[in-house]
Amino acid sequence: MFSSSISTQLSDISFDKEFAHLNGETYLDHTGAALYTNSQLTNIDNDLKSNLYGNPHSGGLASKKTIDTIDQIRYRVLQHFNTNPEEYSVIFTSGATDALKIVAETYRFGNAGTTGRFVYLQDNHTSVLGMREIVAARNIDTECMSFHEAFNTFYKELSQDPSLQQNEENSLFVYPAQCNFSGLKYPLTWIEKCQKGILNERSNWACLLDAATFVSTCHLDLSIFKPDFVTISFYKIFGYPTGVGALLVRNSSSHLLDKVYYGGGTVLMALSSERFHEQRPLLHERFEDGTLNFLSIISLRHGFTMLKELYTDIKYVSEHCHTLARYLHHKLLHLHHSNGNPAVVLYHDTDFEDQATQGNIVNFNILRTSGDFVGYAEVQNLANLHKIHLRTGCFCNPGACQRHLNHSTNLLRHHFKQGHVCGDDQDLVDGLPTGSVRVSFGPYSRISDADVLIKMIEDCFVVKPAVYKMPVSWLHQSKKLMKKFSNDIDEIPNLAKRVDTNLAVTNGNQTSTFSNASLSTLECRLHEINLYPIKSCGSLSVAKSWILDPRGLQYDRQWMVVTASGVALTQKTEPNLCLIKPQLNLSSKELILRADGHNQCSVKLEDDSEDIQEVTLCQSKVCGDCIAGIDCGNEASSWLSSVLNRPGIRLLQQSPKDSRTVKGARNGDSSEKALLSLSNQSQYLLVNKASIDWLSNLLPEGSDCEKESMVDRFRANFVLDGPQLEPFIEQSWKAVRIGNILFKVTGPCRRCQMICIDQKSGKKSNEPLTTLAASLKGKLQFGIYLSCHDAKGQLLINKDEIVEVYS
């Protein structure tokens, strides 16, 4: 059963039955998407199996059934918001973003040469910023209203002079009912104040309420608060279906939308030979271009039915979600490291005591004992390991993110110049966060979900014993954390210090310069050379020497396994890939695939036939890069499908024509980008065995992570060993010379849950990532990336060669 007060308002359902798809995982991203129930999907499935719904434009009986059903859904939508067709019209869209775009394109800002203004709140969603660009292209003045300016403005008294009303120009104010960054609920009383001219009495004002986040856990009563336009996305309420939203238009304001484009089904008639058409009279008929997503819209009724069955009043959902958010907020607020420093900084605008002003969201970043930030990507990695689903970044709300992180516009531009873009995992720039961690609760969340998250934070990031105490200030919102991020790790002594010299090193005819570098010859050698012919599959250990080609070790990560839709498979989603053991037969020029219990399969190392089938993978499936690959045929596909018990998968080889290059270097030097295979980040990965031994010795007694398997888990190309190597000394290196080959260090390797997979059995555990995170205070850097620009011909690297380093 559900925890807290909502349990008494919900029907007696079985949580495990309705949410079997959670599989024991913790879902804390209800603002991102609501959870759908199994009974909801079953009812949709039964509906579609037992009823024939036709294209609503076709005119037959199946078409009429579709039209009638959709009309009933319109009534259900209006009923849900406590209004009726006389007051509001429902225009179905692909989502809230599409609804916002419609208003931006069609809103009438003036008559007879007059123009109004477009005013939006700083905390609006990115989609509202997109509205700004459309409006600005129409030569309409736009204005961003800051958080404090908005509250100061709307707390003023309204003028009662009626002579200032009924002007020719129309203006539009857009604001969110609830901030999707902090969970602040903005006053709905602003709607009427806006319409009565508090922003500017020389214009007629309409109000657009972005309610997408708000209505997921709160009730919007349109009989009390009457915005001119409301935008929503249904997946935020029901979880399913996705790709359906609505624009609710107050009928008295419908004349403010002037539609130019018309698609199929929106006109009474249109002439092809002349520029003439007549629009349909009903508002939704004019605005719903083409064939509606009618099956998804019909599925909405089962969402409404599910809501009615699971709870009697949505106000209890709001209370429930607020209670959980308040609980988590207070726990995090009081959480401190053993030295008394706070472990978390919270981003909020309320004290979480009033559900009228605070919603279901808790937003924060984690701090180290020194006060330095833990990057949100590291938190995401640990959350993934502990099967916790949350969201990180700026949540498509750059204004709220900037305000809460206390970043200037110039600083944001600097972050962009340093390579940070929306949606990436570059979580820290110069030690400052580029985003944060967001937790959001829903109707089916339980207090145990919050406790799972708290335990993960305590175990992985808090230096024990953890201390819970009342901070000096209740609110952390205005706290300015501008400390310089340190790369030093307290527990690791004697890191190599950098010397203020400029050192030029030569490799063949090429010279590279490393600022502030010094040469040191450590007593260490190249202990192992490993390559991984198929991405995420088993390794090949080199006995003596191996060839370097322009992409890295020859044949290293030259192949990859993909699904039928072209998405690359990795051990993150298919751990059993490590059980596939590739071998190379250089004499017969074959890649041989082996797996226990299966006959072997072979493919050619190089296919020189003229009818090679080249395919391009989906973007962002190999670290955001589009890959040109060659399909290795049906025999390999069948073999892989049998071994992994996944139908339709294929084996692709990287095309020789593929021009993928190494990701941005640590020092920002992108003048010479080396070619890259199908590895994630760089040509080579190097680990220090002393670092591995250090971590092995920290593993708890009885851990299911065997120390003998530790080296394999880190999937390195080069493993160094020697008596002078100290743990993590490699983090200070700028270049490495192995034998006579010079490699440039392009940055540290950030680790994820991949190292928790036993490479011999494919079994997952929480180690060693949990111990690594706890020991390094969440800083999951282990090993370094290398690149080599000199392998344009063929270089030979030898096992046991002496290693020189530049630090």
Side-chain angles (χ1 to χ4, degrees):
M1 283 298 294
F2 300 91
S3 301
S4 82
S5 60
I6 196 172
S7 61
T8 61
Q9 302 300 327
L10 289 168
S11 303
D12 188 16
I13 66 168
S14 167
F15 184 92
D16 292 336
K17 177 182 177 182
E18 288 292 354
F19 302 104
H21 45 291
L22 283 179
N23 293 318
E25 301 186 8
T26 302
Y27 189 77
L28 293 171
D29 189 26
H30 290 267
T31 296
L35 282 177
Y36 52 81
T37 65
N38 283 348
S39 60
Q40 179 187 354
L41 297 186
T42 298
N43 292 337
I44 292 170
D45 183 54
N46 291 337
D47 185 357
L48 298 182
K49 285 179 177 178
S50 58
N51 290 285
L52 178 60
Y53 296 107
N55 188 311
H57 297 163
S58 295
L61 292 177
S63 173
K64 187 176 186 308
K65 178 183 284 190
T66 298
I67 294 171
D68 292 343
T69 305
I70 290 176
D71 284 342
Q72 290 299 314
I73 301 298
R74 292 188 204 276
Y75 295 140
R76 291 288 293 272
V77 172
L78 295 174
Q79 184 181 40
H80 182 74
F81 296 112
N82 200 24
T83 188
N84 55 69
E86 286 71 37
E87 190 80 25
Y88 278 89
S89 294
V90 178
I91 299 171
F92 285 116
T93 66
S94 64
T97 294
D98 187 32
L100 292 167
K101 185 169 179 280
I102 288 173
V103 177
E105 291 174 335
T106 63
Y107 186 77
R108 182 192 302 164
F109 281 93
N111 296 304
T114 62
T115 58
R117 290 190 299 149
F118 175 78
V119 180
Y120 61 96
L121 206 62
Q122 178 185 4
D123 285 8
N124 269 308
H125 193 274
T126 300
S127 301
V128 175
L129 305 187
M131 292 181 71
R132 175 190 64 191
E133 302 307 311
I134 293 176
V135 171
R138 297 171 58 190
N139 296 318
I140 306 300
D141 290 337
T142 65
E143 177 185 340
C144 176
M145 181 173 283
S146 71
F147 175 83
H148 296 292
E149 182 185 1
F151 275 93
N152 290 335
T153 298
F154 281 96
Y155 281 150
K156 295 177 181 177
E157 294 296 326
L158 281 164
S159 170
Q160 301 299 320
D161 187 354
S163 64
L164 295 175
Q165 304 298 315
Q166 304 301 320
N167 297 287
E168 290 295 324
E169 65 181 39
N170 303 315
S171 295
L172 181 64
F173 175 60
V174 185
Y175 81 104
Q178 178 177 313
C179 176
N180 76 325
F181 187 96
S182 67
L184 170 68
K185 295 178 183 178
Y186 282 93
L188 297 180
T189 54
W190 288 7
I191 297 168
E192 184 178 5
K193 287 187 174 184
C194 166
Q195 293 164 338
K196 289 184 175 180
I198 198 168
L199 294 175
N200 181 345
E201 295 173 332
R202 296 186 301 275
S203 184
N204 301 318
W205 283 89
C207 179
L208 189 161
L209 186 72
D210 180 3
T213 298
F214 182 83
V215 298
S216 64
T217 58
C218 301
H219 180 49
L220 177 62
D221 191 337
L222 293 181
S223 69
I224 300 175
F225 305 104
K226 300 184 178 183
D228 302 274
F229 313 103
V230 183
T231 57
I232 59 175
S233 289
F234 288 107
Y235 74 94
K236 291 184 179 290
I237 306 174
F238 308 135
Y240 183 89
T242 57
V244 181
L247 171 63
L248 309 185
V249 180
R250 193 177 181 185
N251 291 333
S252 60
S253 304
S254 61
H255 67 284
L256 295 173
L257 302 181
D258 288 333
K259 192 163 182 287
V260 176
Y261 176 83
Y262 57 92
T266 62
V267 293
L268 294 173
M269 68 136 346
L271 294 178
S272 176
S273 58
E274 296 180 21
R275 188 181 172 188
F276 178 83
H277 73 279
E278 189 68 36
Q279 292 184 333
R280 289 188 176 273
L282 296 180
L283 186 68
H284 71 262
E285 291 180 336
R286 297 200 301 270
F287 277 81
E288 292 171 350
D289 293 308
T291 301
L292 283 172
N293 189 357
F294 59 92
L295 293 181
S296 291
I297 293 172
I298 290 170
S299 298
L300 293 177
R301 70 172 176 171
H302 301 290
F304 285 114
T305 300
M306 177 266 297
L307 293 184
K308 186 176 180 179
E309 290 177 349
L310 295 188
Y311 47 83
T312 58
D313 194 329
I314 196 171
K315 72 179 182 181
Y316 295 111
V317 174
S318 180
E319 177 186 345
H320 170 74
C321 295
H322 172 261
T323 299
L324 292 177
R326 180 180 180 275
Y327 170 79
L328 177 61
H329 170 269
H330 289 3
K331 292 286 284 186
L332 294 179
L333 187 68
H334 299 158
L335 182 60
H336 288 65
H337 294 287
S338 59
N339 65 358
N341 287 341
V344 171
V345 57
L346 289 146
Y347 306 114
H348 49 80
D349 299 295
T350 78
D351 58 7
F352 277 73
E353 294 302 317
D354 186 358
Q355 73 176 70
T357 58
Q358 180 62 49
N360 62 322
I361 292 171
V362 181
N363 198 308
F364 61 94
N365 269 316
I366 297 176
L367 303 173
R368 306 187 195 280
T369 55
S370 62
D372 294 328
F373 287 95
V374 175
Y376 61 75
E378 294 179 9
V379 180
Q380 181 76 73
N381 280 330
L382 268 297
N384 290 341
L385 176 63
H386 289 79
K387 299 181 180 180
I388 300 172
H389 301 270
L390 42 73
R391 186 164 174 180
T392 60
C394 274
F395 327 109
C396 296
N397 195 330
C401 187
Q402 177 182 2
R403 178 170 69 86
H404 283 283
L405 297 184
N406 199 25
H407 288 349
S408 67
T409 300
N410 286 338
L411 183 60
L412 295 181
R413 293 181 184 275
H414 170 69
H415 288 177
F416 180 70
K417 288 181 180 179
Q418 294 300 307
H420 169 62
V421 297
C422 293
D424 69 7
D425 61 356
Q426 191 170 348
D427 48 17
L428 297 172
V429 176
D430 302 328
L432 295 178
T434 60
S436 60
V437 180
R438 186 186 75 185
V439 169
S440 52
F441 297 98
Y444 320 117
S445 299
R446 298 174 289 184
I447 198 167
S448 59
D449 296 330
D451 288 335
V452 169
L453 175 68
I454 293 167
K455 187 177 187 304
M456 185 271 287
I457 293 173
E458 288 179 343
D459 290 346
C460 298
F461 298 102
V462 179
V463 175
K464 296 191 174 68
V467 179
Y468 282 93
K469 69 176 186 177
M470 182 68 71
V472 175
S473 173
W474 180 256
L475 295 180
H476 283 204
Q477 172 193 346
S478 61
K479 183 175 181 180
K480 191 174 183 181
L481 296 166
M482 303 291 286
K483 294 181 179 180
K484 184 70 175 175
F485 183 79
S486 172
N487 286 321
D488 294 334
I489 302 170
D490 295 342
E491 290 85 349
I492 303 168
N494 303 321
L495 289 180
K497 296 182 179 179
R498 296 179 181 179
V499 181
D500 292 331
T501 60
N502 288 333
L503 180 65
V505 291
T506 304
N507 189 5
N509 296 323
Q510 183 173 345
T511 300
S512 300
T513 301
F514 301 99
S515 300
N516 303 325
S518 61
L519 172 64
S520 62
T521 303
L522 299 173
E523 189 178 340
C524 67
R525 294 180 179 273
L526 180 58
H527 181 64
E528 289 185 20
I529 303 174
N530 301 305
L531 61 148
Y532 307 84
I534 305 176
K535 182 179 178 66
S536 255
C537 291
S539 66
L540 267 178
S541 182
V542 174
K544 186 176 180 180
S545 60
W546 200 256
I547 293 173
L548 272 59
D549 67 19
R551 297 184 190 276
L553 291 170
Q554 189 177 43
Y555 301 121
D556 182 46
R557 296 174 175 91
Q558 288 290 300
W559 291 264
M560 67 191 308
V561 181
V562 300
T563 65
S565 58
V567 177
L569 276 181
T570 69
Q571 289 185 31
K572 289 182 181 180
T573 56
E574 183 53 77
N576 287 334
L577 281 170
C578 67
L579 303 181
I580 297 174
K581 307 296 183 183
Q583 292 185 350
L584 294 169
N585 189 326
L586 299 181
S587 59
S588 63
K589 296 184 178 180
E590 289 181 319
L591 171 69
I592 301 171
L593 309 181
R594 297 178 184 272
D596 290 344
H598 297 267
N599 294 327
Q600 69 181 39
C601 174
S602 62
V603 298
K604 294 181 180 179
L605 292 181
E606 298 176 6
D607 194 335
D608 53 4
S609 60
E610 296 181 359
D611 57 344
I612 291 176
Q613 178 189 359
E614 294 209 4
V615 296
T616 301
L617 299 184
C618 302
Q619 255 186 334
S620 82
K621 297 306 176 185
V622 184
C623 287
D625 292 338
C626 201
I627 304 296
I630 302 168
D631 192 291
C632 294
N634 293 331
E635 182 181 352
S637 174
S638 298
W639 188 88
L640 289 168
S641 296
S642 175
V643 171
L644 298 175
N645 195 27
R646 296 179 66 135
I649 58 178
R650 312 290 297 182
L651 180 67
L652 299 183
Q653 182 180 13
Q654 187 178 24
S655 169
K657 301 176 183 178
D658 190 68
S659 58
R660 187 172 183 240
T661 56
V662 170
K663 303 294 182 180
R666 176 173 63 182
N667 300 320
D669 180 13
S670 58
S671 58
E672 295 182 83
K673 284 197 171 183
L675 291 174
L676 186 61
S677 65
L678 300 178
S679 60
N680 287 349
Q681 189 75 21
S682 194
Q683 291 179 324
Y684 310 92
L685 174 61
L686 179 148
V687 297
N688 170 7
K689 194 168 184 301
S691 301
I692 294 176
D693 292 341
W694 171 86
L695 181 58
S696 297
N697 292 330
L698 291 177
L699 291 175
E701 289 293 331
S703 170
D704 53 3
C705 177
E706 297 179 0
K707 294 183 179 181
E708 294 75 14
S709 70
M710 287 288 283
V711 173
D712 296 336
R713 289 172 180 261
F714 288 91
R715 297 178 63 83
N717 296 115
F718 303 142
V719 180
L720 303 189
D721 195 11
Q724 291 186 337
L725 286 179
E726 296 173 353
F728 298 94
I729 193 173
E730 68 276 13
Q731 298 286 349
S732 65
W733 297 347
K734 290 189 174 182
V736 177
R737 185 188 293 277
I738 303 175
N740 62 352
I741 304 174
L742 179 67
F743 299 88
K744 182 177 180 180
V745 177
T746 59
C749 177
R750 174 178 282 162
R751 293 300 180 169
C752 64
Q753 64 266 33
M754 281 272 288
I755 63 173
C756 295
I757 301 171
D758 187 322
Q759 295 299 301
K760 293 181 179 179
S761 67
K763 293 182 179 179
K764 280 185 177 181
S765 65
N766 287 342
E767 296 292 358
L769 191 64
T770 298
T771 295
L772 181 65
S775 303
L776 303 189
K777 307 172 189 175
K779 190 176 180 183
L780 302 178
Q781 295 176 356
F782 199 102
I784 54 176
Y785 289 122
L786 306 178
S787 66
C788 178
H789 294 278
D790 303 322
K792 294 182 173 57
Q794 284 191 343
L795 300 176
L796 198 67
I797 190 167
N798 299 304
K799 190 177 174 181
D800 294 324
E801 288 200 280
I802 295 176
V803 177
E804 297 177 328
V805 301
Y806 301 87
S807 57

